[in-house]
Amino acid sequence: MKYTNLTKEQLKELLDSAKKEYEEIAAKGYKVDIARGKPCNAQAALAYDMLTAPAAEEYPMAYLNYGMPEGIPEMRKLFAQLLGLEPSQVIVGGNSSLNMMYDTVQRAMQFGLLGEKPWNKCEKVRFLCPVPGYDRHFAVTQHFGIDMINVPMDDNGPNMDLVESLVASDESAKGIWCVPKYSNPTGIVYSDEVVARLATMKTAAKDFRIFWDNAYCVHDLTDETVELANIMTIAKKAGNEDRIFEFASTSKITVAGAGVACMGASEANIKDAMSHIFYQTIGNDKVNQYRHFRFLQSVEHIKEIMNAQKAIIKPKFDAIVSTLEESLGDDCDIAQWTNPKGGYFISLDVLDGCASRVAALCKAAGLTLTGAGATYPYGRDDSDKNLRIAPTYTNGEDVSVAAEILVACVKLACLEKLAK
Amino acid sequence: MKYTNLTKEQLKELLDSAKKEYEEIAAKGYKVDIARGKPCNAQAALAYDMLTAPAAEEYPMAYLNYGMPEGIPEMRKLFAQLLGLEPSQVIVGGNSSLNMMYDTVQRAMQFGLLGEKPWNKCEKVRFLCPVPGYDRHFAVTQHFGIDMINVPMDDNGPNMDLVESLVASDESAKGIWCVPKYSNPTGIVYSDEVVARLATMKTAAKDFRIFWDNAYCVHDLTDETVELANIMTIAKKAGNEDRIFEFASTSKITVAGAGVACMGASEANIKDAMSHIFYQTIGNDKVNQYRHFRFLQSVEHIKEIMNAQKAIIKPKFDAIVSTLEESLGDDCDIAQWTNPKGGYFISLDVLDGCASRVAALCKAAGLTLTGAGATYPYGRDDSDKNLRIAPTYTNGEDVSVAAEILVACVKLACLEKLAK
């Protein structure tokens, strides 16, 4: 039955039973956290062999010493192969790709990019933020006082008409945050057309940059690998290769506590970045880079590892989605959710104005979600409808509990609204 | 004989034989590099056991996952014990303490310290630079456009009369670079009086900071451990605990390519720094931090490791110093050098105006030194007299060759000047 077609009386009845159902669940004293996209212990254990290998004598002595702030050649090459870049277009960093993104924004603020005016000296700096999106991207731009402009996402990526019109005339529009593959949180993959339009569009700012966070480049959840167009190739053809800053890491391939991150960019951008990084560090951890290279070996072997990861986490996504289907499927129209082909999240849209109520109800019943609004700049989801579900970290049993609580809370919050 | 007492004719004779001696050495085709303070392969091998331990199953699962940008508790505690701080006063970082220093300066520039005006918004920012000092410190401040003011060093540390007078009235004086123990390059240890005056002096700027790079805190070269006063304790008593930013790392304790760095500061400063670092990174490499904790164990065990390091590198220092003694000792007065009780460098002063000539002659004869002037801000040693010798990386045989070339070049360059 469609809830939105029911009479007030029918809704009141459903609300009463939803209340009862919620109270029963809340009384059970569950404690489950599906807030952050963290790998679970079994995923980390897949990389156990890496932690104690190779033998000490196998490390090139130069990697045990200072130097190479651009990273070791083996990992520059492997990341290049993974991302469709040249090794000379890759800097290999430390554990955190967020760190490389933050530092890239900081360098633009302090020193400017490729000789352009430092963003600190611009009257205004604005970033386009496809929404819903990744909270930690938005937190970085907010931290630097950069204005954020919401751009709605659909199944193909950000609304490109809006993006193009925003960047064409506004010189203060300096960047856009993108998670182009298995997007956080909607799971969509940018269409070829969207990628091409991003790579070729006219921008008023010469130093406009696409922050292309390819965090889930090999993180399939089905047997189908959804292909993402190579934005660097397209941008280069259009003479826009300096527009792209690409990021990736092994955090969700090996271990999140000791991964290796990378930044990909045109050789001019790499040279520009290195002209600052040279002063910033005597070099990142080359032992961990080499350890990764020896463990990961090749793009093919990375895909094998990711298949093993998939086997661990896919059932958790399935558990959430199937419970949502069963309980909130065809019969009612208060919620929509994604069934992603990759990445780390399920995106759940509930009736406008109900997301924060759902999150509060969940919390009171022992289920921690990412706070409502977190997927929007400044934490403000004006429709108050989007919730992000991260099922990977929790064990299988708790995932079922999470789904059960979630459904009860969505029903209750939406019925409260409809029955008003 | 004192060269400076000789007649022109005697000097000409000596110059002729010095030329001959130099030409003979230069013709031998040596190739030796004593430019950078890098550990040698045998030193790195002392940490081989660390590279493959502990067993994967022994890692706390939380350390394999995201989080803890402030570092793991075990390493916060160990660094605190090493530096005489509280664990709550320590942030544990990645591989490079330079990275933590650079980021600290960058945060001060961009955001300001403890609510004070960002240095980017100050009309002028100046740093005091004890000279000779560490080239990479000076490179960081130069990179940010910070004015550098030379402060001469003596055997007790920087000239404190000058330091006190510079910081007392000038609000733009925001910082001082210090390598307080086994200073780079002179090897001296700041006296208790100097430490106390730094900690207690009046500064016009509320946000004046001492960048206390305790890089050689356990890096003795003799059986004597020269004690360095605990600047944080003294500063705290004087109500100046926010003045201190301390840095250290394991780069020269375990391996320089995969060490663990730390920053020590007051709890207020740590909180202030973490309020930015939280946006910058999802966390540093906790696996490497834990690996270090398990390998290093305790301050006592670190000292045992450093004894083994000393056994490897002390003979290299002795080889340089004894050759200098034999060839340029009591008998002539063209050069002075340090015989350090710790650290990584020998500092060599030649006749004014001769250092760059010595470096050029060395280079032509196959010996690479740190460029003359490198130990001064902007690479400018106005007296052109200081050279830094870093004997650790080179093998024993090459160190003897280096000493031989060096002596020949010092003699030739200085005699060229005296015989003019």
Side-chain angles (χ1 to χ4, degrees):
Chain A
M1 63 201 158
K2 301 275 183 213
Y3 280 24
T4 42
N5 290 342
L6 298 181
T7 65
K8 284 273 166 190
E9 251 167 45
Q10 289 171 306
L11 287 168
K12 281 251 158 79
E13 250 174 64
L14 284 171
L15 176 60
D16 286 343
S17 79
K19 265 184 194 160
K20 222 178 122 188
E21 205 179 316
Y22 173 76
E23 277 157 17
E24 278 168 20
I25 286 185
K28 287 187 182 168
Y30 289 129
K31 203 159 173 58
V32 181
D33 188 337
I34 53 168
R36 304 299 314 178
K38 290 164 64 175
C40 66
N41 296 351
Q43 289 176 272
L46 294 174
Y48 271 2
D49 283 351
M50 184 183 76
L51 298 181
T52 52
E57 294 76 11
E58 294 177 61
Y59 285 96
M61 288 308 304
Y63 297 177
L64 302 183
N65 222 314
Y66 290 115
M68 298 193 196
E70 72 284 1
I72 68 169
E74 296 91 334
M75 278 306 287
R76 296 181 82 186
K77 189 175 163 194
L78 184 56
F79 272 126
Q81 290 168 337
L82 201 64
L83 301 173
L85 300 169
E86 297 298 321
S88 57
Q89 294 175 321
V90 174
I91 298 171
V92 184
N95 181 42
S96 164
S97 63
L98 186 71
N99 204 155
M100 298 186 94
M101 294 178 226
Y102 177 101
D103 283 5
T104 301
V105 174
Q106 175 64 84
R107 283 193 297 270
M109 300 293 294
Q110 185 71 35
F111 302 108
L113 299 170
L114 290 178
E116 297 297 312
K117 196 199 276 187
W119 294 355
N120 274 333
K121 295 194 173 157
C122 297
E123 214 178 308
K124 194 178 260 308
V125 176
R126 314 173 87 189
F127 258 58
L128 279 56
C129 298
V131 290
Y134 179 30
D135 55 344
R136 298 208 63 160
H137 286 163
F138 305 152
V140 169
T141 23
Q142 184 173 0
H143 195 63
F144 283 106
I146 293 172
D147 281 358
M148 295 184 279
I149 311 165
N150 292 10
V151 176
M153 294 269 286
D154 63 24
D155 288 351
N156 296 308
N159 180 321
M160 284 307 302
D161 291 343
L162 183 55
V163 169
E164 285 167 349
S165 78
L166 284 167
V167 301
S169 56
D170 181 0
E171 223 189 316
S172 74
K174 297 294 192 190
I176 183 171
W177 288 115
C178 297
V179 184
K181 189 164 182 178
Y182 305 137
S183 185
N184 174 352
T186 66
I188 65 106
V189 179
Y190 285 23
S191 71
D192 290 355
E193 189 203 331
V194 164
V195 176
R197 286 173 75 177
L198 282 166
T200 59
M201 66 191 178
K202 286 218 157 51
T203 66
K206 266 183 79 173
D207 53 354
F208 180 88
R209 290 293 183 274
I210 298 172
F211 284 71
W212 198 247
D213 184 0
N214 210 343
Y216 306 107
C217 52
V218 287
H219 301 63
D220 307 330
L221 284 170
T222 72
D223 293 338
E224 178 194 355
T225 291
V226 187
E227 293 296 338
L228 173 70
N230 187 329
I231 194 167
M232 184 63 91
T233 309
I234 305 166
K236 189 169 182 173
K237 266 187 206 148
N240 293 334
E241 60 179 330
D242 293 338
R243 180 181 294 178
I244 316 300
F245 284 141
E246 185 160 0
F247 303 91
S249 87
T250 69
S251 295
K252 294 184 178 95
I253 297 174
T254 56
V255 289
V260 175
C262 79
M263 169 170 152
S266 70
E267 285 178 33
N269 275 326
I270 295 289
K271 198 175 154 194
D272 193 35
M274 286 308 305
S275 76
H276 305 292
I277 292 170
F278 173 78
Y279 295 99
Q280 186 179 19
T281 179
I282 48 88
N284 284 294
D285 183 334
K286 296 187 293 296
V287 165
N288 199 37
Q289 291 179 11
Y290 189 68
R291 191 177 277 129
H292 269 76
F293 165 68
R294 289 288 297 266
F295 179 70
L296 297 175
Q297 300 170 35
S298 64
V299 172
E300 291 65 40
H301 190 238
I302 289 173
K303 287 183 177 164
E304 285 168 32
I305 294 169
M306 296 315 290
N307 274 332
Q309 299 257 7
K310 181 171 66 185
I312 295 169
I313 64 175
K314 182 61 160 71
K316 302 180 185 183
F317 284 84
D318 289 346
I320 301 276
V321 170
S322 65
T323 304
L324 289 170
E325 286 290 351
E326 282 158 27
S327 310
L328 303 169
D330 289 342
D331 290 340
C332 61
D333 44 7
I334 53 175
Q336 286 180 298
W337 52 89
T338 57
N339 187 5
K341 291 183 176 172
Y344 261 59
F345 302 101
I346 294 164
S347 182
L348 174 67
D349 281 340
V350 293
L351 287 185
D352 280 15
C354 291
S356 45
R357 175 67 178 153
V358 172
L361 286 169
C362 283
K363 190 156 195 192
L367 176 66
T368 306
L369 294 175
T370 315
T375 54
Y376 285 73
Y378 311 105
R380 281 199 311 254
D381 172 7
D382 287 335
S383 306
D384 188 23
K385 70 174 185 187
N386 185 252
L387 290 163
R388 190 182 79 167
I389 298 162
T392 49
Y393 182 66
T394 309
N395 69 40
E397 201 170 310
D398 282 354
V399 168
S400 301
V401 168
E404 202 189 330
I405 299 175
L406 188 62
V407 162
C409 296
V410 170
K411 274 194 187 166
L412 178 53
C414 292
L415 282 165
E416 283 173 348
K417 179 184 168 168
L418 292 170
K420 225 179 240 167
Chain B
M1 66 200 155
K2 299 272 181 216
Y3 281 24
T4 41
N5 290 342
L6 299 180
T7 64
K8 284 273 164 191
E9 250 167 46
Q10 289 170 308
L11 288 167
K12 282 247 156 82
E13 249 174 64
L14 284 172
L15 176 60
D16 286 341
S17 82
K19 264 185 194 159
K20 220 177 124 191
E21 203 180 319
Y22 174 75
E23 275 157 20
E24 277 168 19
I25 287 185
K28 288 188 182 165
Y30 289 129
K31 203 158 172 56
V32 181
D33 189 336
I34 53 169
R36 305 298 315 177
K38 291 164 64 174
C40 66
N41 295 351
Q43 288 176 274
L46 293 175
Y48 271 1
D49 283 350
M50 184 184 74
L51 299 181
T52 51
E57 293 76 10
E58 293 178 61
Y59 285 97
M61 288 308 305
Y63 296 177
L64 302 183
N65 222 313
Y66 291 116
M68 298 191 196
E70 72 285 2
I72 69 169
E74 295 91 334
M75 278 307 286
R76 294 182 83 187
K77 191 175 160 192
L78 185 55
F79 272 127
Q81 291 169 337
L82 201 63
L83 301 173
L85 301 169
E86 296 298 320
S88 57
Q89 294 176 320
V90 173
I91 298 172
V92 184
N95 181 42
S96 164
S97 63
L98 185 72
N99 204 154
M100 298 187 93
M101 294 178 225
Y102 177 102
D103 283 6
T104 301
V105 174
Q106 174 64 85
R107 282 193 298 271
M109 300 294 292
Q110 184 73 33
F111 302 108
L113 298 170
L114 290 178
E116 297 298 311
K117 196 198 274 187
W119 294 355
N120 275 332
K121 295 194 173 155
C122 297
E123 215 178 307
K124 192 178 261 308
V125 177
R126 315 173 87 189
F127 258 58
L128 279 56
C129 298
V131 289
Y134 180 31
D135 54 346
R136 299 207 62 160
H137 286 163
F138 305 153
V140 169
T141 23
Q142 184 173 2
H143 196 63
F144 283 107
I146 294 172
D147 281 358
M148 294 183 280
I149 311 165
N150 292 10
V151 176
M153 294 268 285
D154 63 26
D155 288 351
N156 296 308
N159 180 322
M160 283 308 301
D161 290 342
L162 182 56
V163 169
E164 284 168 347
S165 79
L166 284 167
V167 301
S169 56
D170 181 359
E171 223 189 318
S172 74
K174 297 294 193 189
I176 183 170
W177 288 115
C178 298
V179 184
K181 189 164 181 177
Y182 304 137
S183 186
N184 175 350
T186 65
I188 66 103
V189 179
Y190 285 24
S191 71
D192 289 355
E193 189 203 332
V194 164
V195 176
R197 287 173 75 176
L198 282 166
T200 58
M201 66 190 178
K202 287 221 156 49
T203 66
K206 265 183 79 173
D207 54 354
F208 180 88
R209 291 292 184 274
I210 297 171
F211 284 69
W212 197 248
D213 184 359
N214 209 344
Y216 307 106
C217 53
V218 287
H219 300 64
D220 306 329
L221 283 170
T222 71
D223 293 337
E224 177 193 356
T225 292
V226 187
E227 292 297 338
L228 173 70
N230 186 327
I231 193 167
M232 183 65 90
T233 308
I234 304 166
K236 189 169 181 175
K237 266 188 205 146
N240 293 334
E241 60 179 330
D242 294 338
R243 181 181 293 176
I244 317 300
F245 284 141
E246 184 159 0
F247 302 92
S249 88
T250 69
S251 295
K252 294 185 178 94
I253 297 174
T254 56
V255 290
V260 175
C262 79
M263 168 170 152
S266 70
E267 285 179 32
N269 275 325
I270 295 290
K271 198 176 154 194
D272 192 36
M274 286 308 305
S275 77
H276 304 292
I277 292 171
F278 173 79
Y279 295 98
Q280 186 179 19
T281 178
I282 49 88
N284 285 293
D285 184 333
K286 296 187 294 295
V287 165
N288 199 37
Q289 291 179 9
Y290 189 68
R291 191 178 277 128
H292 269 76
F293 166 68
R294 290 288 297 265
F295 179 70
L296 297 175
Q297 301 169 36
S298 64
V299 172
E300 291 65 40
H301 190 238
I302 290 174
K303 288 184 177 163
E304 284 168 32
I305 294 168
M306 296 315 291
N307 274 330
Q309 299 258 6
K310 180 170 66 185
I312 295 169
I313 63 176
K314 182 59 160 70
K316 301 181 185 182
F317 285 84
D318 290 345
I320 300 274
V321 170
S322 65
T323 305
L324 289 170
E325 287 289 350
E326 283 158 25
S327 310
L328 303 170
D330 288 342
D331 289 341
C332 59
D333 44 6
I334 54 176
Q336 287 180 298
W337 52 90
T338 57
N339 186 5
K341 291 185 176 171
Y344 261 59
F345 303 101
I346 294 163
S347 183
L348 173 68
D349 281 341
V350 294
L351 286 185
D352 279 16
C354 291
S356 45
R357 175 66 178 153
V358 171
L361 286 168
C362 283
K363 191 157 194 189
L367 175 66
T368 306
L369 294 175
T370 315
T375 55
Y376 285 74
Y378 311 105
R380 281 199 312 253
D381 172 5
D382 287 334
S383 306
D384 188 23
K385 70 173 185 185
N386 185 251
L387 290 164
R388 191 182 79 168
I389 298 162
T392 51
Y393 182 66
T394 310
N395 68 38
E397 202 172 310
D398 281 354
V399 167
S400 300
V401 167
E404 201 190 333
I405 298 176
L406 189 63
V407 162
C409 296
V410 169
K411 272 194 188 165
L412 177 53
C414 292
L415 283 165
E416 282 172 350
K417 180 183 167 170
L418 293 171
K420 224 181 240 168

